[in-house]
């Protein structure tokens, strides 16, 4: 399986047929995984924590949206076998972990799952990020790398640019375009070291990510795919029409 990073949007993404269609088509163009491991910007916990493995509830981790978004259901099958393998991989690298057996999928996980696997038949597991230290995130991704060769789709879910103070922008600001272009070029050459050091190397890093929880999954995904051989591709590009400062760019590492 490839390793991917995607822009997950917010609940209104479900009302955007173009973006939903792109995610759905992307999933259909990939081999069908035996399960999905979701690593979302919206769950960071130290130590890294493994979520629900039997039944997988939803976490409505947002506010201010219409009531119907709080009634959504997506009863994905659990993936206890993937959880067991994740435990083994983390132990092998001496990475501590915890368990949260009732913690379900947050919107950074289930919204793209709804688009990509609307049949609700894809086993899913979510695991938290182990904080936001870039070097730790890269080591975490490296530990999870064998999963892709075992048929599991490892998904980093966030945004390549994410500045909530820019929500009122009518057009995509220059700093967002600059950071997006740098990130695309850096991911294309699989330069994990540069991604880890993005605060120093990337243009407009502090504007693109005042806090970098939405960039962290991109670091994890790149590290998980560092030794894969096929070129990186960008199945989805552009900016979100609701928030033009947020890039929709998503990457697939073969």
């Amino acid at each position: 399986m490839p390793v991917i990073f995607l822009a997950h949007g917010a609940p209104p993404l479900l009302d955007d047929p173009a973006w939903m269609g792109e995610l759905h088509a992307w999933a259909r163009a990939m081999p069908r995984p035996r399960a999905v491991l979701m690593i979302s910007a919206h769950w960071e916990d130290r130590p890294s924590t493994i979520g629900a493995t039997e039944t997988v509830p939803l976490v409505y981790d947002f506010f201010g949206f219409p009531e119907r978004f709080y009634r959504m259901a997506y009863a994905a099958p659990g993936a206890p076998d993937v959880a067991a393998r994740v435990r083994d991989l983390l132990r092998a690298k001496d990475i501590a972990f915890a368990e949260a057996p009732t913690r379900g999928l947050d919107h950074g996980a289930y919204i793209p799952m709804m688009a990509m696997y609307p049949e609700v038949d894809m086993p899913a597991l979510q695991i938290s990020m182990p904080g936001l230290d870039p070097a730790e995130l890269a080591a975490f991704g490296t530990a999870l790398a064998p999963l892709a060769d075992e048929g599991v789709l490892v998904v980093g879910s966030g945004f390549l640019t994410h500045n909530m103070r820019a929500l009122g922008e009518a057009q995509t600001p220059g700093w967002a375009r600059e950071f997006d272009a740098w990130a695309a070029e850096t991911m294309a050459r699989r330069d994990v070291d540069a991604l880890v050091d993005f605060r120093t190397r990337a243009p407009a890093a502090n504007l693109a990510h005042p806090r970098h929880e939405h960039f962290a999954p991109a670091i994890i995904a790149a590290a998980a795919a560092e030794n894969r051989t096929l070129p990186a591709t960008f199945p989805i590009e552009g900016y979100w029409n609701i928030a033009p400062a947020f890039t929709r760019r998503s990457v697939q590492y073969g």
Side-chain angles (χ1 to χ4, degrees):
M1 288 300 301
V3 176
I4 70 173
F5 169 81
L6 55 79
H8 61 235
L13 168 60
L14 300 173
D15 295 333
D16 185 335
W19 198 353
M20 291 286 285
E22 286 175 321
L23 283 168
H24 184 72
W26 185 12
R28 292 300 175 272
M30 286 188 280
R32 182 173 174 82
R34 66 180 180 91
V36 171
L37 177 67
M38 275 284 182
I39 305 159
S40 160
H42 293 280
W43 191 18
E44 54 186 275
D45 223 340
R46 183 181 295 277
S48 182
T49 303
I50 297 169
T53 59
E54 298 298 335
T55 57
V56 186
L58 301 186
V59 178
Y60 302 101
D61 58 331
F62 46 80
F63 60 91
F65 291 98
E67 179 63 24
R68 62 189 174 89
F69 289 121
Y70 302 90
R71 300 182 183 277
M72 293 183 293
Y74 188 84
D81 57 329
V82 177
R85 181 63 172 140
V86 167
R87 294 184 194 101
D88 290 342
L89 291 171
L90 296 180
R91 287 190 190 105
K93 296 293 186 179
D94 293 322
I95 297 175
F97 62 89
E99 309 270 353
T102 62
R103 208 278 187 186
L105 304 176
D106 60 46
H107 80 271
Y110 70 75
I111 287 177
M113 289 287 292
M114 285 179 170
M116 299 174 80
Y117 304 104
E119 300 85 1
V120 200
D121 60 354
M122 178 59 65
L125 174 70
Q126 185 168 354
I127 183 169
S128 78
M129 300 185 295
L132 292 180
D133 178 85
E136 290 186 13
L137 294 168
F140 186 68
T142 299
L144 298 174
L147 291 169
D149 291 330
E150 298 166 8
V152 176
L153 179 64
V154 177
V155 181
S157 174
F159 272 105
L160 282 187
T161 57
H162 188 270
N163 184 335
M164 296 298 287
R165 292 191 291 272
L167 281 175
E169 298 276 359
Q171 297 181 341
T172 302
W175 55 260
R177 295 187 184 279
E178 290 173 6
F179 187 92
D180 176 73
W182 176 87
E185 189 275 331
T186 304
M187 293 188 297
R189 56 186 168 86
R190 302 173 188 267
D191 191 341
V192 175
D193 288 341
L195 295 174
V196 166
D197 194 28
F198 79 98
R199 287 285 180 202
T200 300
R201 304 194 196 188
N206 290 335
L207 285 171
H209 294 282
R211 188 177 188 275
H212 62 270
E213 76 283 351
H214 278 77
F215 189 65
I219 298 173
I220 294 171
E226 188 172 17
N227 294 323
R228 303 186 72 78
T229 57
L230 294 178
T233 59
F234 300 95
I236 300 175
E237 298 179 310
Y239 296 84
W240 193 12
N241 56 10
I242 295 175
F246 289 14
T247 177
R248 299 168 57 246
R249 184 183 297 276
S250 302
V251 60
Q252 176 173 324
Y253 299 102

